[in-house]
Amino acid sequence: MNNNFFEVLRPGINTTYQDKGRFHMQHLGVAPSGCMDQKSYLIANKIVSNQNQEGVLEFAYQGPLLKLTKGKTKFSITGNVIFKIIKSNNETINGECNRSYDLDEKDQLDILATKDSVYGYLAVEGGFAVTPFCNSISTLSRANIGPNNGKKINLKDKVFFKKEDNKKIIFQLMF
Amino acid sequence: MFKKLSNIGDCGIVCDFGDEVNQKINSNVIKLFHHVRKQVLKGNLKGILNYTPSYNKLIINFDLQKINSSTIIDFLESVDFSQLSFSQNKKEWEIPICYDFAMDLKNISKTLKIDENEIINIHLKTIFFIYMVGFIPGHPFMGDLDSKLFLNRLKTPRVKIQAGSVGIVEKFCNIYPYESPGGWHIIGRTPTKLFNTKDNSNPCLLSPGDIVKFKSISKKEFENLNNE
């Protein structure tokens, strides 16, 4: 895969891919899943100008520590979350929720904890490159449904983005 | 046909068909379920998200931004049950089962004072009707088992039951499609996969209203089928 990706250095307690939910299947025993906090999910996507139904990463209590191993990206974190951006020159920025940040190659994103709440959301510009099952990328870990074989995010997993490097696109447009 | 319509939360409606569990009431639930599903797939009822039949209730979930409960209640009240049928959606299945994997057959035989082979015979002879699918994806609740095999749930449920295990309790029989906790008496295991997460168009083998018969297979046949 050519796409840019995060490497998972710490998975967090329960980090899963989620979106609006998987509907029209409950008569087969498939629970809708989806983001617990639909409002924060919607805001996360809006900030990075994604479509409303784009998939995000949902984390509970403690979030993941992610390293942008390849490429550049723009991301947003919503909910009530304490997080830090660790630049490649070891400079740290204390993050604010409900706004967007640019991330460069080799930067790290450390989502420390949710404050007085449970769930928080991470959206990246363009969304994550995962295969939907029945029109949704929501994870239902009980039945192994969803991306990553229906499991929560694990140590050393790679989280791929749909969007390729901006530079490359410009390069292709020029020639 | 339903006795009561009521709201369940701000975006759900429950159609109550009564409190008894029998095939006559359940058939009506399934008829209404197929009717609602057909209308939703046709695009006549925009905003309905889920329609979940159980033994004697049907729950309809909707998106409050697109539809409201009074529109759905009006639709449900206008349904003519005499015009509905589900025979065209009904399928018959033969599911292989290996009784060598029974965990509780000996205990059942002891409590009910029926020979193990007789229990297997009764189970094989029964033509099961699927009341509902739920609990975990693809998990069927089937009936009716001979009243001779009436059992209560295990006193202490098991934490882990192997995928494919077939259990019985009261007049019902089930199949666990995934490894899961469970309190039913396990009498065998099937190699049939009930839910396929790789199949986008038709992931679930069994549907509510289908007919199931079991076919006994040996341990060797089980392993051959399981490796397929």
Side-chain angles (χ1 to χ4, degrees):
Chain A
M1 229 186 260
N2 259 332
N3 294 16
N4 304 334
F5 65 92
F6 276 136
E7 200 184 326
V8 180
L9 302 182
R10 181 194 67 223
I13 290 173
N14 190 22
T15 308
T16 53
Y17 290 103
Q18 297 291 350
D19 58 11
K20 200 166 184 337
R22 188 177 288 106
F23 296 102
H24 305 285
M25 287 189 83
Q26 203 158 15
H27 58 285
L28 306 174
V30 183
S33 325
C35 291
M36 284 297 288
D37 180 353
Q38 291 279 336
K39 211 188 229 171
S40 293
Y41 155 66
L42 200 68
I43 297 167
N45 269 334
K46 279 284 171 207
I47 292 172
V48 288
S49 44
N50 283 349
Q51 300 213 313
N52 288 352
Q53 65 274 22
E54 196 60 60
V56 297
L57 274 179
E58 179 184 81
F59 45 88
Y61 299 108
Q62 187 204 34
L65 170 60
L66 304 165
K67 185 178 182 184
L68 186 60
T69 314
K70 187 169 175 278
K72 270 178 168 187
T73 187
K74 189 193 260 182
F75 74 93
S76 68
I77 285 180
T78 57
N80 194 1
V81 184
I82 307 166
F83 68 97
K84 278 191 306 197
I85 298 161
I86 306 160
K87 294 298 228 183
S88 46
N89 59 6
N90 281 334
E91 181 198 345
T92 52
I93 303 164
N94 287 325
E96 270 173 61
C97 291
N98 302 324
R99 57 158 281 189
S100 69
Y101 285 96
D102 283 321
L103 217 53
D104 294 316
E105 201 162 292
K106 306 281 182 262
D107 287 357
Q108 289 180 29
L109 170 59
D110 193 358
I111 304 172
L112 294 161
T114 52
K115 204 163 82 186
D116 305 324
S117 59
V118 179
Y119 294 100
Y121 297 90
L122 165 68
V124 296
E125 193 178 19
F128 297 106
V130 283
T131 326
F133 170 69
C134 294
N135 306 320
S136 169
I137 66 123
S138 287
T139 308
L140 179 61
S141 54
R142 187 171 47 186
N144 306 340
I145 290 174
N148 200 22
N149 293 322
K151 298 283 175 227
K152 54 187 185 187
I153 302 295
N154 270 319
L155 193 67
K156 288 181 183 165
D157 277 357
K158 284 174 181 169
V159 177
F160 285 98
F161 310 154
K162 273 186 200 161
K163 205 174 170 185
E164 304 237 337
D165 221 334
N166 279 338
K167 259 186 216 156
K168 211 189 248 169
I169 294 167
I170 295 166
F171 190 76
Q172 281 165 352
L173 286 173
M174 279 166 72
F175 299 99
Chain B
M1 236 10 163
F2 36 78
K3 294 195 171 127
K4 212 171 79 187
L5 280 177
S6 45
N7 286 307
I8 179 163
D10 59 354
C11 48
I13 289 170
V14 53
C15 314
D16 195 342
F17 288 73
D19 293 323
E20 310 94 90
V21 179
N22 60 47
Q23 295 189 14
K24 200 176 153 232
I25 288 181
N26 190 249
S27 300
N28 283 327
V29 177
I30 294 168
K31 273 181 202 166
L32 184 64
F33 153 70
H34 278 301
H35 182 60
V36 173
R37 183 161 189 257
K38 217 159 99 186
Q39 297 303 318
V40 172
L41 296 182
K42 266 188 195 165
N44 294 345
L45 280 168
K46 284 207 173 79
I48 289 191
L49 300 175
N50 269 317
Y51 14 80
T52 319
S54 71
Y55 292 136
N56 44 34
K57 315 263 187 293
L58 176 73
I59 289 182
I60 297 170
N61 296 99
F62 55 91
D63 184 350
L64 254 180
Q65 287 174 345
K66 291 181 186 152
I67 197 165
N68 55 28
S69 74
S70 54
T71 317
I72 301 172
I73 287 174
D74 286 347
F75 164 78
L76 290 171
E77 275 169 349
S78 70
V79 171
D80 181 5
F81 272 82
S82 61
Q83 300 291 317
L84 303 182
S85 81
F86 71 95
S87 50
Q88 71 268 31
N89 296 312
K90 202 166 166 172
K91 283 185 198 140
E92 289 185 18
W93 305 94
E94 193 181 62
I95 291 183
I97 176 171
C98 178
Y99 290 101
D100 293 348
F101 291 98
M103 295 159 100
D104 296 311
L105 214 47
K106 266 192 193 134
N107 286 337
I108 299 172
S109 168
K110 229 189 256 169
T111 8
L112 297 175
K113 298 186 180 69
I114 305 174
D115 187 54
E116 283 181 34
N117 288 328
E118 178 62 15
I119 296 172
I120 291 173
N121 264 336
I122 296 174
H123 187 251
L124 279 175
K125 260 191 240 156
T126 315
I127 295 164
F128 288 101
F129 170 84
I130 300 180
Y131 281 102
M132 57 184 261
V133 176
F135 172 52
I136 29 181
H139 176 278
F141 287 80
M142 306 178 282
D144 292 346
L145 210 57
D146 195 310
S147 56
K148 273 192 260 175
L149 294 187
F150 191 96
L151 287 158
N152 287 318
R153 280 176 175 71
L154 293 176
K155 275 199 179 120
T156 322
R158 291 189 174 94
V159 179
K160 225 178 230 182
I161 286 173
Q162 283 293 314
S165 295
V166 178
I168 56 170
V169 86
E170 293 169 19
K171 63 175 179 179
F172 305 112
C173 174
N174 74 352
I175 306 168
Y176 291 94
Y178 290 93
E179 194 181 270
S180 94
W184 294 39
H185 302 261
I186 306 302
I187 59 161
R189 199 182 294 170
T190 173
T192 309
K193 303 278 173 284
L194 298 188
F195 199 87
N196 182 1
T197 50
K198 300 279 173 287
D199 188 348
N200 258 299
S201 55
N202 200 11
C204 189
L205 191 70
L206 308 170
S207 306
D210 287 358
I211 300 290
V212 168
K213 269 198 85 174
F214 285 96
K215 187 183 98 182
S216 180
I217 56 166
S218 67
K219 212 168 180 172
K220 211 177 161 192
E221 285 174 292
F222 175 90
E223 260 137 37
N224 287 342
L225 285 166
N226 206 25
N227 292 335
E228 256 174 30

